[in-house]
């Protein structure tokens, strides 16, 4: 939304400087930032490649005023909090080192909470068919949430994700496309990830072609014996 509105990274940087310097003063005067707004601001900052330890501290302290137990396990705010925690832990280590104990503890609790994305149970033609053919070859094809990410076709015990990647265009100027970030984060926490793109799958016209493709993928990566 910031990209569409023409708000570039320099303007965002000024916004976050304002958060650092002015928000504590506003809150001291009684103007409290609502939890959803604090979470969205922090998520946008990190997702656009901006990082400011002091701004994160201000926003996470504002968010923490609302007890986490009151947030539904499928809430958008919880998804963003899970993404914030993962971004800080994996992508912004220097920022993480500057966080005070109360913010570190808050993010640790966020990490431990169950989050459920309804997308986990929504199959596309690609994810349904891919899971079917993988099961034919002994791959369990289970579903699991990993942090903020729904993993639809996986072996959770072996931490293997066969990712069905739908064809779509992402907006120009994104620091990193969501499928690439998902793969990088999953690999950073110990998962092996293999992608099957919708365009590749659609080009496999027959049952036999699809079965051979899946078998080749498993064989190539030494997964047939698992």
């Amino acid at each position: 939304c910031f990209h569409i509105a023409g708000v570039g990274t320099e303007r965002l940087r000024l916004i976050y400087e304002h958060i650092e310097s002015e928000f504590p003063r506003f809150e001291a005067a009684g103007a409290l930032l609502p939890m959803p707004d604090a979470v969205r601001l922090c998520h946008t900052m990190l997702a656009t490649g901006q990082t400011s330890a002091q701004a994160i501290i201000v926003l996470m302290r504002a968010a923490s005023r609302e007890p986490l137990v009151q947030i539904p396990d499928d809430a958008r705010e919880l998804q963003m909090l899970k993404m914030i925690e993962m971004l800080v832990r994996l992508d912004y280590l220097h920022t993480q080192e500057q966080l005070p104990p109360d913010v570190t503890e808050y993010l640790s609790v966020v990490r431990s909470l169950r989050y459920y994305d309804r997308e986990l149970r929504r199959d596309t033609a690609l994810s349904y068919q891919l899971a079917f053919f993988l099961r034919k070859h002994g791959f369990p094809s289970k579903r699991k949430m990993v942090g903020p990410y729904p993993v639809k076709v996986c072996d959770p015990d072996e931490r293997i994700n066969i990712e069905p990647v739908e064809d779509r265009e992402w907006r120009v100027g994104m620091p990193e496309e969501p499928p690439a970030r998902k793969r990088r984060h999953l690999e950073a926490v110990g998962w092996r990830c293999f992608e099957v793109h919708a365009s590749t799958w659609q080009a496999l016209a027959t049952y036999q072609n699809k079965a051979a493709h899946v078998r080749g993928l498993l064989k190539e990566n030494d997964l047939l014996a698992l």
Side-chain angles (χ1 to χ4, degrees), residues 3 12 23 46 58 77 111 113 134 149 160 165 187:
H3 176 75
L12 286 173
F23 275 33
L46 294 172
V58 170
E77 289 78 15
R111 181 181 178 183
L113 287 178
L134 284 165
Y149 297 116
I160 297 168
V165 181
E187 289 178 341

Side-chain angles (χ1 to χ4, degrees), residues 70-81 115-116:
Q70 295 181 6
I71 304 174
D73 65 3
D74 61 349
R76 172 64 175 155
E77 289 78 15
L78 183 54
Q79 180 192 40
M80 288 189 288
L81 280 170
Y115 166 66
Y116 178 73

Side-chain angles (χ1 to χ4, degrees), residues 116-123 143 150 152:
Y116 178 73
D117 190 332
R118 294 179 185 274
E119 186 64 26
L120 186 67
R121 291 287 171 185
R122 294 190 183 119
D123 271 318
R143 304 172 194 258
K152 292 183 179 181

Side-chain angles (χ1 to χ4, degrees), residues 137-139 214-226:
H137 289 84
F139 189 84
V214 168
R215 182 171 181 82
L217 173 67
L218 295 172
K219 186 175 181 180
E220 180 181 332
N221 295 285
D222 297 322
L223 302 178
L224 278 176
L226 291 178

Side-chain angles (χ1 to χ4, degrees), residues 161-199:
N161 173 39
I162 311 293
E163 183 72 18
V165 181
E166 304 296 334
D167 293 329
R168 61 168 293 182
E169 292 187 5
W170 303 98
R171 72 173 186 268
V172 177
M174 294 182 69
E176 185 177 29
E177 292 184 354
R181 183 174 63 187
K182 178 179 180 179
R183 175 171 183 155
R184 182 172 57 79
H185 281 169
L186 290 177
E187 289 178 341
V189 296
W191 284 71
R192 297 172 65 195
C193 297
F194 307 96
E195 295 176 342
V196 176
H197 290 260
S199 56

